[in-house]
Amino acid sequence: MSPTPSTPGLDQEPADRPNARGGASAPVSGSVWTRPRRPMRRRLSLEAIVRAAIDLADAEGLDAITIRRVAAELNARPMSLYSFMDRKDDLIELMVDEIMGEMVLGEPPKDWLAALHAIAAQTRAVGRRHPWLIAAIMQRPALGPNAVRHAEQSMAAIAGLGLEREQARTLLIAVDAFTMGFGGLELAGHSMRQRDGLTESQWADSTGAYLDDLSRTGRAPHLAQLAGEPSDHAFVTSLNWLLAGFAASHGKATGKP
């Protein structure tokens, strides 16, 4: 007896097909060829899950990340994601480490100061591409393989300075804290503009007018000088000041990168 030819959509029983679970089948009509194809679930992998979660967080923020929501993005059952992780926090850790891979430079400069500037600039750029990242890092330690690569690259940049362990650790904490803090200030304005549907110029006009009014009335006479968004120039200059202070206190040569 010759085998029965397979029919597209019928040779495999979709997991979400009602009669596959013993429930009542929805009424159908017409030929199988004229009915819409059933959506087939994407084959799950840890990489696909993490990428879907990152895309969702980039679009809607970290609060959008739930196991159920990510499963829906993948057309999968929520329980199927638990084959790869135990809880949502595990997924966020995996997301953070995946993005931290973007922070690792291909070949950093040889000079320690230029290298730290380049690493900090890359970290800031990645944070701007993924606005949820800083908040996620602040909530949990980054311990994954890409986080280790990022930390190792920073340690390698200052290895030639002959610092003691605690000095090296404190220097890198200072650079990371500055970079994350600066990024947080940038993202605060971005988040408010996005929430209220304001353009950058509209936001600048409204905050500038508010600060000008405080200055003019004498309630905060110097505050108007703070108007404006954090800039690339402010980032580079502030980091230069920070590292110049370190260099002066430890007798290390420095200059503008």
Side-chain angles (χ1 to χ4, degrees):
M1 183 174 180
S2 60
T4 304
S6 63
T7 305
L10 296 181
D11 54 338
Q12 292 183 341
E13 192 77 20
D16 56 348
R17 191 171 180 175
N19 62 1
R21 298 194 299 267
S25 299
V28 295
S29 61
S31 168
V32 66
W33 303 108
T34 61
R35 295 197 300 270
R37 292 285 299 273
R38 290 179 180 272
M40 299 298 290
R41 288 196 176 99
R42 190 189 311 178
R43 183 179 294 277
L44 287 183
S45 67
L46 185 60
E47 292 77 12
I49 293 168
V50 172
R51 178 45 55 186
I54 288 171
D55 291 345
L56 180 59
D58 286 350
E60 301 184 26
L62 198 61
D63 289 343
I65 302 301
T66 65
I67 295 295
R68 183 175 297 276
R69 181 67 191 282
V70 174
E73 294 292 315
L74 293 165
N75 191 32
R77 293 192 187 93
M79 288 304 297
S80 64
L81 271 64
Y82 287 110
S83 301
F84 298 89
M85 63 200 66
D86 293 322
R87 55 187 181 174
K88 184 183 81 170
D89 281 350
D90 296 346
L91 176 57
I92 294 175
E93 281 195 58
L94 292 166
M95 292 163 59
V96 167
D97 195 66
E98 180 68 21
I99 297 306
M100 289 198 75
E102 298 179 19
M103 295 182 184
V104 179
L105 297 175
E107 180 137 4
K110 301 298 183 187
D111 175 72
W112 72 270
L113 181 62
L116 289 184
H117 267 276
I119 292 168
Q122 181 72 0
T123 300
R124 176 185 174 220
V126 171
R128 295 174 81 173
R129 286 201 298 270
H130 306 283
W132 53 272
L133 180 64
I134 292 178
I137 290 175
M138 293 301 183
Q139 294 171 18
R140 55 190 52 76
L143 300 173
N146 285 325
V148 169
R149 290 172 61 212
H150 175 66
E152 175 63 22
Q153 189 165 77
S154 297
M155 287 297 296
I158 62 172
L161 296 180
L163 300 177
E164 296 177 1
R165 176 180 175 181
E166 189 59 27
Q167 291 175 328
R169 181 173 178 273
T170 301
L171 171 60
L172 295 185
I173 287 174
V175 173
D176 281 347
F178 165 78
T179 304
M180 295 294 179
F182 195 98
L185 290 175
E186 289 184 299
L187 293 174
H190 170 80
S191 298
M192 184 167 284
R193 291 196 305 271
Q194 189 176 51
R195 184 195 69 192
D196 295 339
L198 299 174
T199 65
E200 189 170 337
S201 61
Q202 288 171 330
W203 168 251
D205 289 344
S206 63
T207 55
Y210 169 69
L211 294 175
D212 283 341
D213 182 64
L214 289 177
S215 178
R216 190 168 48 252
T217 58
R219 286 177 287 171
H222 304 292
L223 200 60
Q225 299 176 45
L226 296 179
E229 293 285 310
S231 65
D232 293 344
H233 175 73
F235 178 78
V236 173
T237 301
S238 300
L239 185 55
N240 266 331
W241 288 344
L242 172 66
L243 295 176
F246 158 78
S249 64
H250 290 81
K252 305 300 179 185
T254 185
K256 291 186 179 180

